[in-house]
């Protein structure tokens, strides 16, 4: 093999691997990413049944019903809309009524969100960041939720606390 | 050993670390050389050939290749010579002797608090119980309860104390624990309601009201619960109901009931229909004016009433602070009052006044900034 | 006084770092030995002062001095001593202090053990190291100062999150940081070499031990973190493709590539420019990992925007160092002497393929981790990229890597013989095929993928072993001779064998766990028996227990296999009463490399309790593999070839000892 051929083999091999990788990434990005929605976004966007997405919001107080065989139903709400959710299994330690939750799954034909995963990855303020963001964006943060919101100068204080806990 | 001595010592060590190599006579450079790596590689190839790991032919080829690198490296090394740059050395020494202490000292004085002593737990414990502040006593009880969280009696003792010092959220949790571990009774329910009311700045929330109602259900004569149910009615805009509740209380109460004056005052307030200051027991009552619950209840008044009351109080507070600006709590209260009244400009102005007034007081400023941050105003 | 002394020590360290970042460079330019040697003493003094500062913070945490904001916010006087200490780095400020302490530690190590380095290289590298430290000292002092005080000290601290009160936290972050920060050395050496404009085979030999050391710590740190998540989070998952995890995986992949390309550079004086780039990229990815985890940008771009001081500062550091070093690289790389070319089929060729696949895999992780952030910034849309993405991109790239892995060590330098290498791998290939066939027959109707993957893993392991057998001529010479040859092999060879076999072993664990994992979620009452994977678990009782600062509901199980009792398990759920927080403590029982895993859910109305039971076959291999890799790295590190090559310095000239 000449020098030139060797070099070409090398470059060709590298390009081949990179090409495959790019194809894999594009393919995976099309099929396997999951969008985040709140109940009101679900209502506005008409997400088709069976499409997986992440639902975030607050567990509506009084809506948690535990059934047979570890079945749980509850409602997730964002202040302006709420969506019924069913889940079968053990809920995480930090799952509580009136507090934030992120569930992953899909809508069934009746418009009920069937979750296969319920996440409670949030800090001691019991509010997943994405949920807090979504609520704040819609202006419902102050009115309905957050015990701190009752205090004077509430919103900023709550925000400050949020921001702080993020960095820790 | 004083702090300053320690800091000076540390500075001296740092300066010495820079000066030491400058003063040492290092004729030869020391340090490794590239050629050594290649001689080592050659030796390694010999070993590998000897043990049969590579064939003698391959070994020979490798030796030639490494030999070439060795020659090149040796050439490069022969070319480099060490030098002595006295000018640079003096400059560096000067920077180390003067610049380093000045820069380090300057930055530290900006950031640090050299005047503050350490406050480890041991020294706090050493302070005797007699001189212990109420906060310390609370801390001790809390420590005890942390270890024995099912001690219902402990929680019952702690809860009202927490209410009195204004830690309403903690108090509510303490009452809940007390109810769980020491049993449900009217007084504890009423206390819980009081704590919740305090946490909401004097507004009897739905939760709090439910607790008072539970208390009254258990014991219809529970004074605190009845009083707050009256406050709730008043805040709901039903002063007549409130008056009825309080009248009933007074009618049934013994003449020497300690809460008589409070209820009488409240009754007089609704009857006259002016300045409904819901001065609840829940208020810490430290501040002479503008207690949290006062403002909160003022929010429920008619616009005109509110105007007259608040403006008067705020003006008094502002005047007082103008004369004596040392009161950080007072400033914070003033800032908050403006915020509650939805006057952000004035609140900012008050903040600036406070900064000016506290200009010399480091600790006070820091406390102010922390308070401001908690209020959500950029500190 | 302790707090203030610690604070001042940190400021002094900054001052020393600033001097260290300039003076040695002047020395290297002007050939003044004394000026160059300033790097050494200042690096050691820096280590002394940062060490003092860190010790001061630990002392403050241990004595519960709540006049220090950091202690007040993250400690509590009742916390057990061990968590008071680990709490130091369980928070942002403390962990950043740990970060710079480790940076200074590595600087100090180079100063002490860098005797075999040319003076100019050492001076320049230590100066670059000091640039990094200066930036981080400034970051800590100005935005994340752990020594700020509270005017009126509160009585009690706010305590550490109960989930973090775990021995895993004691070990995981320091190991991870030792890895992250360790790569700063190869970065500094690369930048120093670029500044000098001289890079040759010797450079690779000097850098290799430092890279290897960082790589060992990072490997252990990642494995440790994975095991911690496995037992503490109560879900039985060991890798979530969480951005925080990816942040540590990316430097690992790049660092692994760097280790391999440095071998080519050392032996063949080739791939020099590429190796420089990898050294820069590896540490850049470590910095990026620090940024991702520390700035809050991961949880939400919005959260980052509301409290941006720290994030923006780190972003600046990131741009400065990554951008600066890459610009320097672009400027100087073209002027570097290129090494020789080589045949595609050769040891070098195999290592290039290794580098290509590792860096591409690293790039896919990079895309998967940062794509959601980019999309959120650009369109406001929030998405999550989870395991499916990485299974579809990362896994396919690892298959050719693993297939090629056994061939690499079999090929000769310069010109390899593919046929000869394949012949030597006969046995390994047959072992792999037999494994596949047996598994296929055994699990008929099951996943087709698993037997193939395990076959691949067996190929990797057997391939590594046959490399060893080949080198000591096992079966071709008498056993005693073979053993003697085995003892005579360089330790680096043994290290390679262990590390490569570790990859295969981890793969077996991963495949078995994810394919044949049995899960049972059910409600049990006392006396009920749950059957999982041939084990019977009888729920004996549900008991309440009082812990030091929590109440605990413990469920006792008796585990039996085929009617024979083999042990007991007691998972629990802890309620931290005063804090109204709860944690789940899973119970684990190891059977060989497999584990039974039980964790609790909510009690049900009829006196039962929700229980989650897993049988995880071969799961321990997932962590045993990385341990083996790290052990291989350690063996390689002790190889005398990495240590010799320098005159043994006389004892007297080492008078300045590290002040640790």
């Amino acid at each position: 093999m000449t020098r030139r051929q060797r070099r070409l083999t090398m470059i060709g091999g590298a390009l081949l691997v990179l090409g495959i990788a790019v194809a894999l990434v594009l393919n995976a990005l099309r099929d396997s990413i999951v969008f985040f929605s709140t109940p009101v976004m679900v209502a506005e966007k008409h997400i088709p049944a069976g499409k997986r997405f992440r639902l975030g919001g607050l567990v509506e107080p009084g809506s948690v019903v535990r059934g047979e065989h570890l079945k749980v139903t509850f409602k997730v709400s964002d202040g302006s809309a709420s969506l019924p959710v069913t889940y079968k299994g053990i809920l995480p330690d930090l799952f509580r009524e009136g507090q934030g939750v992120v569930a992953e799954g899909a809508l069934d034909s009746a418009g009920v969100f069937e979750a296969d995963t319920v996440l409670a990855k949030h800090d001691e303020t019991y509010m997943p960041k994405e949920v807090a963001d979504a609520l704040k964006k819609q202006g419902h943060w102050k009115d309905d939720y957050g015990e701190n919101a009752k205090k004077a100068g509430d919103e900023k204080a709550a925000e400050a606390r949020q921001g702080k806990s993020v960095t820790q | 050993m004083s702090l300053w001595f320690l800091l000076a010592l540390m500075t001296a060590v740092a300066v010495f670390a820079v000066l030491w190599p400058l003063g040492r006579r290092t004729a030869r450079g020391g340090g490794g050389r590239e050629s050594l790596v290649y001689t080592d590689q050659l030796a390694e190839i010999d070993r590998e050939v000897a043990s049969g790991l590579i064939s003698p032919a391959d070994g020979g080829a490798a030796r030639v290749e490494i030999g070439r690198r060795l020659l090149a490296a040796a050439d490069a090394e022969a070319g480099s010579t060490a030098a002595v740059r006295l000018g640079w050395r003096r400059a560096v020494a000067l920077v180390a002797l003067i610049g380093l202490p000045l820069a380090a000292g300057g930055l530290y004085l900006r950031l640090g608090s050299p005047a503050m002593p350490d406050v480890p737990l041991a020294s706090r414990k050493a302070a005797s119980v007699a001189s212990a502040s109420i906060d310390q006593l609370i801390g001790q009880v809390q420590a005890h309860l942390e270890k024995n969280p099912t001690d219902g009696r402990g929680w019952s003792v702690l809860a009202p104390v927490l209410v009195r010092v204004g830690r309403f959220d903690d108090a509510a949790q303490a009452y809940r624990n007390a109810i769980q571990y020491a049993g449900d009774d009217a007084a504890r329910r009423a206390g819980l309601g009081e704590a919740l009311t305090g946490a909401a700045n004097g507004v009897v929330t739905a939760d709090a009201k439910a607790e008072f109602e539970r208390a009254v259900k258990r014991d219809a004569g529970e004074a605190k619960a009845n009083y707050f149910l009256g406050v709730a009615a008043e805040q709901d805009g039903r002063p007549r109901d409130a008056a009825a509740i309080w009248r009933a209380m007074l009618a049934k109460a013994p003449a020497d009931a300690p809460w008589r004056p409070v209820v009488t005052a409240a009754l007089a307030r609704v009857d006259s229909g002016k300045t409904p200051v819901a001065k609840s027991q829940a208020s810490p009552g430290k501040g002479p004016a503008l207690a949290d619950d006062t403002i909160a209840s003022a929010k429920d008044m008619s616009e005109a009433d509110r105007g007259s009351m608040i403006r008067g109080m705020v003006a008094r507070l502002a005047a007082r602070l103008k004369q004596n600006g040392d009161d950080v709590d007072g400033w914070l209260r003033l800032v908050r009052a403006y915020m509650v009244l939805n006057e952000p400009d004035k609140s900012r102005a008050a903040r600036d006044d406070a900064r000016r007034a506290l200009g010399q007081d480091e600790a006070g400023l820091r406390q102010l900034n922390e308070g401001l941050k908690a209020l959500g105003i950029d500190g | 006084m302790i707090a203030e002394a610690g604070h001042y020590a940190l400021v002094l360290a900054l001052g020393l770092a600033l001097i260290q970042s300039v003076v040695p460079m002047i020395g290297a330019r002007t050939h003044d030995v004394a000026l160059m040697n300033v790097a050494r003493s200042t690096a050691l003094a820096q280590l002394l002062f940062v060490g003092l500062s860190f010790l001061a913070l630990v002392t403050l945490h241990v004595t519960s001095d709540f006049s220090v904001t950091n202690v007040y916010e993250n400690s509590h006087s009742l916390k057990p001593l061990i968590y008071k200490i680990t709490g130091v780095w369980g928070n942002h400020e403390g962990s950043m202090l740990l970060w710079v302490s480790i940076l200074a530690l590595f600087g100090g190590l180079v100063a002490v053990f860098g005797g075999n380095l040319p003076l100019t290289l050492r001076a320049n590298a230590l100066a670059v190291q000091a640039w990094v430290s200066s930036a981080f000292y400034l970051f800590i002092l100005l935005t994340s100062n752990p020594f700020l005080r509270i005017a009126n000290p509160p009585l009690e601290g706010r305590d550490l999150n109960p989930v973090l009160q775990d021995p895993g936290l004691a070990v995981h972050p320091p190991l991870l940081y030792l890895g992250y920060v360790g790569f700063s050395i190869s970065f500094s050496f690369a930048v120093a070499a670029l500044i000098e404009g001289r890079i040759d085979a010797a450079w690779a030999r000097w850098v290799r031990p430092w890279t290897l050391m960082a790589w060992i710590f990072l490997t252990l740190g990642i494995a440790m973190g994975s095991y911690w998540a496995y037992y503490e989070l109560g879900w039985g998952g060991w890798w979530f493709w969480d951005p925080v995890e990816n942040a540590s995986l990316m430097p690992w992949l790049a660092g692994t590539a760097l280790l391999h390309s440095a071998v080519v550079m050392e032996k063949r004086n080739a791939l020099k420019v590429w190796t420089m780039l990898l050294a820069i990229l590896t540490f850049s990815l470590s910095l990026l990992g620090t940024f991702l985890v520390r700035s809050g940008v991961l949880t939400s771009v919005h959260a980052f925007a509301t409290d941006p001081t720290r994030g923006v500062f780190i972003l600046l550091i990131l741009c400065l160092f990554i951008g600066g070093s890459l610009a320097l690289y672009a400027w100087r790389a073209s002027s570097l002497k290129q090494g020789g070319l080589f045949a595609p089929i050769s040891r070098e060729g195999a290592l290039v393929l290794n580098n290509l696949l590792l860096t591409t895999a690293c790039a896919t992780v990079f895309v998967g981790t940062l794509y959601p952030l980019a999309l959120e910034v650009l369109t406001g849309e929030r998405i999550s990229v989870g395991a499916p993405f990485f299974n579809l991109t990362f896994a396919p790239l690892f298959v050719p890597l693993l297939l090629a892995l056994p061939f690499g060590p079999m090929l000769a330098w310069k010109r390899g013989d593919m046929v000869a290498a394949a012949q030597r791998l006969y046995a390994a290939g047959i072992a792999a095929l037999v494994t596949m066939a047996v598994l296929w027959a055994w699990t008929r109707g099951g996943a087709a993928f698993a037997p193939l993957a395990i076959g691949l893993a067996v190929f990797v392991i057997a391939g590594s072993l046959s490399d060893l057998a080949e080198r000591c001529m096992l079966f071709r010479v008498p056993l005693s001779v073979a053993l003697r040859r085995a003892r005579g092999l360089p330790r680096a060879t043994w290290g390679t064998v262990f590390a490569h076999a570790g990859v295969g072993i981890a793969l077996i664990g991963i495949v078995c766990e994810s394919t044949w994992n049995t899960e049972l979620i059910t409600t049990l009452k006392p006396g009920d028996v749950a059957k999982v994977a041939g084990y019977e678990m009888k729920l004996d009782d549900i008991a309440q227990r009082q812990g030091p600062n929590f109440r605990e509901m413990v469920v006792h199980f008796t585990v039996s296999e085929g009617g024979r009792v083999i042990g007991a398990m007691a998972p629990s759920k802890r309620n931290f009463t005063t804090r109204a927080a709860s944690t789940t403590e899973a119970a684990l029982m190891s059977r060989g490399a497999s584990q039974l895993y039980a964790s609790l859910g909510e009690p049900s109305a009829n006196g039962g309790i929700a229980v989650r039971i897993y049988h995880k076959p071969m799961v321990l291999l997932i962590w045993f593999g990385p341990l083996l890799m790290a052990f291989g790295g350690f063996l390689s590190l002790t190889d005398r070839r990495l240590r010799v090559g320098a005159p043994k310095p006389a004892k007297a000239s080492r008078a300045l000892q590290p002040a640790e």
Side-chain angles (χ1 to χ4, degrees), chain C residues 306-517:
Chain C
T306 50
D307 184 20
T309 1
R310 285 173 180 170
V312 169
F313 205 115
I314 304 191
L315 199 59
L316 273 178
I317 294 180
L318 212 62
C319 291
L320 196 72
F321 283 102
I322 299 182
S325 56
L326 287 181
L328 180 71
Y329 175 79
W331 178 41
R332 297 301 281 250
S334 54
S335 67
L336 296 176
K337 264 187 285 170
Q338 268 294 351
L341 273 170
F342 42 81
I345 305 290
S346 63
R347 178 86 67 89
E348 299 94 309
L351 288 169
V352 169
L353 183 66
N354 149 303
N355 267 239
L356 191 61
L357 290 167
L358 278 174
T359 44
T360 316
C362 179
T364 61
V365 178
F366 185 84
V367 170
T369 310
L370 293 188
Y371 180 68
L373 290 180
L375 194 72
E376 193 187 346
V377 170
L378 294 178
T379 68
E381 191 110 51
R382 305 206 51 138
I383 60 164
S384 64
V385 171
F389 172 88
F390 296 100
N391 291 343
L392 282 175
T393 55
F394 190 76
L397 287 168
F398 251 66
V399 172
L401 181 68
L402 295 179
L403 266 180
L405 190 150
F407 287 94
M410 296 284 184
L411 292 169
W413 292 103
K414 270 176 136 176
R415 223 173 301 108
D417 185 347
M418 197 61 172
V419 180
Q423 273 169 356
R424 289 184 208 163
L425 286 170
Y426 256 140
I430 289 171
L433 287 176
V434 168
T435 313
M436 271 186 230
V438 169
L439 281 174
W440 189 277
W442 190 36
T443 63
R444 270 167 75 90
F449 164 75
L452 288 178
I454 293 183
L456 180 60
V458 169
F459 181 57
V460 169
I461 300 168
S464 311
L465 293 179
S466 28
D467 178 36
L468 193 64
E470 199 59 46
R471 276 167 202 263
C472 51
M473 294 184 162
L474 197 64
F475 308 129
R476 276 192 275 148
V477 294
L479 192 63
S480 59
V481 179
L483 281 181
R484 207 171 52 238
R485 287 179 64 91
R487 225 172 308 136
L489 284 179
R491 286 199 199 165
T493 308
W494 281 96
T496 310
V497 171
F498 276 110
H500 286 177
V503 177
I505 284 173
L507 180 64
I508 293 185
I510 292 169
V511 174
C512 288
E513 195 277 333
S514 45
T515 317
W516 293 301
N517 172 24

Side-chain angles (χ1 to χ4, degrees), chain A:
Chain A
M1 257 202 255
T2 64
R3 238 177 136 70
R4 200 176 133 77
Q5 274 173 328
R6 282 182 186 176
R7 187 168 288 189
L8 282 180
T9 332
M10 290 279 178
I11 293 174
L15 285 180
L16 185 73
V17 171
L18 281 179
I20 293 174
V22 170
L24 286 171
V25 165
L26 288 180
N27 174 46
L29 277 183
R30 207 181 55 224
D31 293 343
S32 61
I33 56 169
V34 181
F35 282 85
F36 175 85
S37 288
T38 59
V40 73
M41 284 156 79
V42 173
E44 282 165 5
K45 277 197 202 156
H46 305 294
I47 296 176
K51 182 172 166 43
R52 285 181 68 80
F53 65 98
R54 278 191 175 190
L55 176 73
L58 295 148
V59 182
E60 209 166 272
S63 71
V64 179
V65 179
R66 289 173 199 274
E68 286 287 294
H69 301 299
L70 297 168
K71 252 201 186 115
V72 189
T73 65
F74 54 89
K75 282 185 177 157
V76 169
S77 115
D78 56 14
S80 32
S82 79
L83 193 69
V85 178
T86 64
Y87 175 71
K88 187 173 184 297
I90 295 178
L91 291 164
D93 285 339
L94 296 174
F95 180 89
R96 274 170 219 188
E97 290 192 358
Q99 280 163 355
V101 71
V102 173
E104 194 171 320
L107 292 171
D108 68 3
S109 50
V112 175
F113 187 80
E114 275 185 31
D116 47 35
T117 320
V118 173
L119 303 175
K121 291 199 317 194
H122 42 90
D123 55 43
E124 66 282 4
T125 53
Y126 301 119
M127 178 63 65
K129 297 302 171 306
E130 32 201 4
V131 174
D133 278 346
L135 291 176
K136 268 183 226 159
K137 225 186 280 171
Q138 293 172 25
H140 289 296
W141 170 255
K142 180 177 174 179
D143 308 341
D144 307 322
Y145 307 109
E147 287 161 335
N148 309 316
K150 286 177 205 134
K151 288 179 187 157
D154 45 23
E155 187 161 12
K156 276 190 181 160
E159 237 167 42
R161 224 162 290 139
Q162 291 283 334
K164 201 161 170 38
S165 56
V166 173
T167 50
Q168 274 170 357

Side-chain angles (χ1 to χ4, degrees), chain B residues 305-378:
Chain B
D305 283 348
R306 164 151 114 186
S308 60
M309 175 188 117
I310 293 285
R311 237 154 258 141
M313 295 170 101
V314 172
R316 260 188 316 239
L317 181 58
R320 185 167 66 74
L321 288 170
K322 212 159 262 169
Q323 283 166 5
N324 173 16
D326 289 346
D327 179 2
V328 181
D329 283 335
W331 282 116
L332 286 171
R333 236 177 351 250
L334 186 65
V335 171
R336 173 142 71 157
Y338 282 130
M339 270 172 53
V340 172
L341 296 177
N342 222 350
E343 290 182 292
D345 293 342
K346 284 198 182 167
S347 125
R348 241 169 276 137
R351 177 194 65 189
D352 296 339
D353 286 344
R355 292 239 169 94
R356 228 164 289 137
L358 294 169
Q360 308 301 320
D361 180 4
E362 284 280 341
L365 261 182
R366 195 165 301 136
Q367 197 190 338
L368 177 78
N369 285 340
E370 261 153 36
L372 288 173
K373 224 182 265 171
L375 288 177
I377 297 180
D378 187 16

Side-chain angles (χ1 to χ4, degrees), chain B residues 38-74:
Chain B
Y38 299 128
T39 26
D40 183 55
Q41 278 189 342
L42 283 177
E44 185 186 319
I45 288 191
D46 289 343
R47 275 199 304 275
E48 285 184 355
V49 171
S51 66
L53 282 174
I54 51 176
S55 71
D58 283 352
R63 226 174 278 146
V64 170
E65 197 179 312
I66 295 169
R68 261 204 306 273
R69 278 182 233 152
L70 178 58
L71 285 178

